[in-house]
Amino acid sequence: MKRRTFLTAAGATVATTVAGCSGIAGESEPDDERTLVVGTYSAFIDAPSTSPGAWLKEQFESEFDARLIWQTPENEVNHYIERKNAGVDTETDVYVGLNVDDLVRIDDQLDDGLFAEAGDVEGADSVKSQLSFDPDNRAVPFDTGYVSLVYDGTSMTAPETFEGLLAEDVAGDLIAQNPASSATGRAFLLHTVAAFGPDGYLDYWADLQANDVRVLGSWSDAYSAWSAGEAPMVVSYSTDQVFADRNDANLEKHQIRFLNDQGYANPEGMAVFADANEPELAREFMSFLLRPEVQGEIAVRNVAFPATTDAALPEDYAELAKEPPEPVTFTYDELQGSVSGWIEAWERQFAEN
Amino acid sequence: MARSTETGASDGRAHDERRHRWRALLRGTLDRRALPVLATGTVLVLLGIFYYPVATVFVESVVVDGRVTLSVFWAVLSDPFYFGEPARLLTGTPPTAVLDSVLSGDPRLGVVGFTAYQAALSSVASVALGLPAAYLLARYEFPGRRTLRSLTILPFVLPSIMVAVGFVATFGRNGTLNTVLGAVGLGQVDLLFTLEAVIIAHAFYNAPLVARVTTAAWESVDASAVETARSLGASPTRAFRDVVAPQLYPSVVLGAVLTFVFTFGTFPIVLALGGFELATVEVFVYRLVRDLEYAEAAALALVELAISLSLLYGYLRYEARHSISSDGIRPLPRRPIVPPSLSLRELLPRAGLAAYSVVALAVFVAPIASMVYASLTGPNGATLAHYEFLLERQASGASFQVQPWDAVRNSLLFAAAALAVALPMGVVVAVLTTRRYRGRKVLDVVAMAPLAVSGIIVGLGLLRGLVFGVEVGGTRLAVGGALAIVAAHAVAGYPFVVRTVAPGLEGLDRSLVESARALGASRARVLADIELPLVWPAVVAGAAFAVAISIGEFSATIVLASGTSQFTMPIAIERFIGRRLGPATAMGVVLLVVTSASFLVIDRLGGETDAL
């Protein structure tokens, strides 16, 4: 991977717009109080169903006497890598929504870190140890999801193992996603690498392809095709019934299958930018996110699972949000230097013309 | 104009005279200077918003670690995964062995070869579906013809996510088509996740383009030429073949070439309706950019660009050789859609059109109708909940969330402003490239580059070149926000204005211009008063495209927007995608309604040319 030396970041930014931050969706800021700028992915603050963004902002601002500004750059964490590469200040304090391959990519691309060590974040010791994914202790997990199969129980019963997906009677029955453009697609591919090993997963995929698996682009491409009945099984999240229940859908049509009794864990982390203007406030925000009641709210509103052991969840949440008997995930060290090769090899086999 | 502060009656007359002199001088200066000033402005906008930002990305394919190298290019070109059998020639495989593989019946196309193959099929399908529509719109009179003509361009602006939803609902396993086939006792068709589905979707997008440019050309055919041919004894068929058809070929070829260029750079729709087996070059450009492997991404995108521009260059050479000289327009009279007599001659074309309209209903109307239907249904039948969601989001959404009404307003404002910039830009470039000088076709093809560059690369270039800005003397100059968005939309749309207007200008009788110039009219005056009115249908067609491009634009807008307050309808649709399709499809219907209204207005303001 190429490495570069960077220009020193410039001081002021003159923008043609009146907005405080040029080029990222955010708001302009007054100067009379402390301001915390938080970068995240857009669904965290602006999903059509529910998202934690508005609630978190309201709670945090009322308690900390500070202003919270959400930023949702289109290419997410890559935006900040780009900024760093261009020698421009990130102008952001903390990022919410990092996963382990983001960290691998950042460390591949940048000599000096984009993020600072988490340091002293109150409540960090209540994070489930198996979710911590950053060996350099920058990212602190705040929630996690599990990628599994979702299937229509009114028309079939999904196989229980990966090998079961190769059976003739489920030919053409599974919709997955492109690992390069979708988190679920990537998790499913990594799950097959975990199940068959780096030397065996390509053979498994060759069989899966022969059995007519559909690999579409984004999660929404796949999920909407599945909803329309194009195929009875789709790679998605194990919290599917939470949404189904909210929309009064038939839960029988939203069954979860953990292949090999496993679900691929996708913990999401948060980290303070190395050049944050408000590093202290950023850490206070991180510990705020780890409080039991906030953890519960994030899980419910983001339709995910909390990262801490003491989160306050509604009584019946576990009925609809399914946790796998055995979570599987690759560590940072296992992914480093391999993940892009695994994906590229898969692409070259799957799309060979 | 600066207002005079002089007062007093005694100075009144002198003051008036001075003002008149000033005005005349100003008008004269404006007239004389208009074209050079517009040309300079056009070049500056193109450099700042397009060529410079894109160059910042492309340079990475040849400059690695500060050294100029072609190794990345070489690696891409000699990779059989991308370039199939020909790539093996570069790696030292003997030509005979490569030829054997090619002739073996199952040669490797490579991703680039496959992308070109599907783009070629898409072009053929788009022409096949677009031409009958042009014939109907240009040659027949029926109630609602002008409305229909205005709306033909509609599919062009739909976000791919909406098209995917519409196609799944129409051509899917449980889709409308299978329901109809089942009802009439025919079997099921499994159309989804095949190359055919992708080709039909590409035709959905691009047949309207073919139809629109061909209709404009057909309406510009001078009736007197046909009448002359007929009076000299040519049969109607012969007159069509020798007089009308040659004037349509350039438009048809243009439609086919543009379709190829667009579908060669296709990305989301292929994965949504085809699947990863059908991955195109752009899918890999996206992945490489996402993994920050810029050198390889830029090299691939440059290869894409070279192929598209070569094709455009070939077209421009062809267009120049086939320009038809005309000195005025009296369009062919349209036939009534109801046959005046029951002769075979009258019935046959109308029967063909009837058959075509069934196909058009399935390909164009059904997916859009499915989208509307999806916006009005929930898990328990008919509902207005999705539209209530839009209203609720408008009323109580947070400032950092996208607001439906703001998105509508922004889309319209940006489209109007982009049109106001793209029209003069397009006309100026059309004038500059229809003058006679060496290398004008090269200039022309360079001006067409915005059509052919990967959208992913443009987005990245805008981010680096404009949003992050450049450092000038310790201060960072960054550009973002509404002005930049309008400029980016204008840059994306103006090539359509050039391509629709230039052939008409090329074909105008030079003596018209020369005599006006001899009588003392400035070049700009001749253009405004003589040339443009003569090619007016083409100007209106170009304007409609510029608006369509602006309304449908996503990647540059999202990069340049400095906040949710500048989000447009396609961005709102993307944000509203979730587990339920309702909210996004409801926003899609809003986009449909707003866009339809805009096109009707453009065509009404543009007027018909029958009166000439």
Side-chain angles (χ1 to χ4, degrees), chain A residues 49-318:
Chain A
S49 49
T50 61
S51 47
W55 185 87
L56 288 172
K57 178 176 156 83
E58 199 178 316
Q59 294 292 316
F60 182 79
E61 287 180 346
S62 66
E63 183 177 337
F64 286 81
D65 191 33
R67 202 148 172 278
L68 192 161
I69 292 177
W70 291 115
Q71 279 191 345
T72 52
E74 176 66 5
N75 45 358
E76 296 172 5
V77 84
N78 275 4
H79 179 90
Y80 300 102
I81 303 177
E82 287 278 353
R83 277 186 102 91
K84 193 98 178 156
N85 266 338
V88 190
D89 273 352
T90 50
E91 291 172 16
T92 309
D93 298 301
V94 63
Y95 191 84
V96 172
L98 288 170
N99 54 36
V100 63
D101 44 280
D102 290 331
L103 286 180
V104 169
R105 204 165 58 246
I106 289 164
D107 295 343
D108 265 352
Q109 286 289 325
L110 299 170
D111 291 333
D112 47 353
L114 185 62
F115 295 110
E117 278 202 29
D120 187 21
V121 174
E122 200 183 328
D125 48 357
S126 59
V127 172
K128 295 175 184 167
S129 56
Q130 74 269 23
L131 290 180
S132 291
F133 57 84
D134 183 4
D136 294 340
N137 298 317
R138 292 158 298 176
V140 179
F142 65 89
D143 76 358
T144 185
Y146 298 101
V147 174
S148 66
L149 296 190
V150 176
Y151 68 97
D152 177 358
T154 61
S155 70
M156 72 167 325
T157 301
E160 295 180 4
T161 61
F162 278 104
E163 285 80 3
L165 290 174
L166 305 178
E168 204 166 321
D169 59 343
V170 292
D173 281 356
L174 174 64
I175 301 179
Q177 302 90 4
N178 172 15
S181 53
S182 135
T184 46
R186 178 171 294 232
F188 185 67
L189 180 74
L190 291 175
H191 198 173
T192 60
V193 179
F196 297 95
D199 302 325
Y201 81 106
L202 287 175
D203 292 340
Y204 174 73
W205 272 96
D207 296 342
L208 206 54
Q209 193 170 5
N211 209 28
D212 256 355
V213 64
R214 309 284 179 203
V215 178
L216 303 186
S218 63
W219 171 86
S220 64
D221 289 341
Y223 197 85
S224 60
W226 173 79
S227 303
E230 280 314 305
M233 295 185 282
V234 66
V235 173
S236 188
Y237 295 99
S238 68
T239 47
D240 197 70
Q241 292 194 344
V242 178
F243 285 103
D245 189 57
R246 280 182 198 167
N247 299 317
D248 304 325
N250 177 2
L251 292 187
E252 199 52 42
K253 292 190 169 198
H254 294 259
Q255 294 294 306
I256 305 298
R257 169 70 72 215
F258 292 115
L259 290 169
N260 297 3
D261 278 334
Q262 298 166 334
Y264 195 88
N266 245 350
E268 295 191 293
M270 50 190 170
V272 183
F273 282 99
D275 63 359
N277 291 325
E278 295 275 4
E280 284 316 303
L281 190 59
R283 288 186 174 84
E284 284 176 42
F285 174 74
M286 280 167 56
S287 71
F288 164 78
L289 253 53
L290 295 174
R291 286 182 198 168
E293 73 277 12
V294 180
Q295 275 288 298
E297 281 296 336
I298 292 177
V300 170
R301 288 168 190 268
N302 214 25
V303 194
F305 297 92
T308 57
T309 49
D310 56 1
L313 276 173
E315 293 282 312
D316 56 353
Y317 195 68

Side-chain angles (χ1 to χ4, degrees), chain B residues 70-218:
Chain B
L70 288 176
S71 60
V72 182
F73 263 108
W74 184 256
V76 167
L77 289 174
S78 59
D79 186 343
F81 177 70
Y82 290 131
F83 284 93
E85 302 297 348
R88 293 169 55 205
L89 290 171
L90 299 180
T91 49
T93 314
T96 46
V98 173
L99 194 64
D100 282 346
S101 320
V102 170
L103 298 175
S104 69
D106 189 23
R108 289 184 63 179
L109 281 174
V111 171
V112 175
F114 172 77
T115 307
Y117 169 70
Q118 64 82 25
L121 290 178
S122 300
S123 300
V124 171
S126 300
V127 169
L129 280 170
L131 275 189
Y135 172 63
L136 173 71
L137 290 168
R139 301 297 300 114
Y140 288 86
E141 191 55 76
F142 52 92
R145 178 185 61 83
R146 289 178 57 184
T147 306
L148 186 63
R149 192 187 65 170
S150 307
L151 298 184
T152 39
I153 198 174
L154 204 51
F156 207 68
V157 301
L158 287 179
S160 58
I161 178 78
M162 294 289 91
V163 176
V165 168
F167 266 65
V168 169
T170 306
F171 300 107
R173 197 164 287 188
N174 312 323
T176 321
L177 181 65
N178 276 333
T179 313
V180 171
L181 289 177
V184 298
L186 294 163
Q188 284 252 322
V189 286
D190 260 349
L191 203 57
L192 234 48
F193 313 127
T194 59
L195 182 58
E196 289 82 351
V198 174
I199 304 292
I200 296 172
H202 284 164
F204 172 89
Y205 267 117
N206 295 293
L209 170 83
V210 176
R212 189 81 206 217
V213 291
T214 311
T215 304
W218 217 319

Side-chain angles (χ1 to χ4, degrees), chain B residues 149 212-213 215-220 251 254 329 423 427 430 494-505 531-546 602-603 606-607 609:
Chain B
R149 192 187 65 170
R212 189 81 206 217
V213 291
T215 304
W218 217 319
E219 287 173 342
S220 306
S251 302
L254 171 67
I329 309 169
L423 264 187
V427 168
Y494 95 98
F496 286 95
V497 181
V498 179
R499 287 279 59 85
T500 51
V501 172
L505 290 184
E531 292 176 286
L532 287 183
L534 287 174
V535 295
W536 197 244
V539 177
V540 177
F545 279 122
I602 290 170
D603 271 353
T609 49

Side-chain angles (χ1 to χ4, degrees), chain B residues 542-591:
Chain B
F545 279 122
V547 167
I549 290 283
S550 170
I551 291 182
E553 213 289 328
F554 179 88
S555 54
T557 313
I558 190 97
V559 168
L560 294 170
S562 61
T564 41
S565 59
Q566 287 168 349
F567 280 1
T568 54
M569 291 187 286
I571 298 178
I573 289 169
E574 195 233 19
R575 284 274 175 116
F576 292 157
I577 290 167
R579 275 178 164 72
R580 294 170 307 143
L581 289 172
T585 47
M587 192 67 216
V589 172
V590 170
L591 178 138

Side-chain angles (χ1 to χ4, degrees), chain A residues 14 45-46 82 215 230 348, chain B residues 79 173 276 294 393 476:
Chain A
V14 182
I45 65 164
D46 190 8
E82 287 278 353
V215 178
E230 280 314 305
R348 284 176 173 253
Chain B
D79 186 343
R173 197 164 287 188
F276 202 84
Y294 298 127
R393 178 53 68 91
R476 191 161 276 285

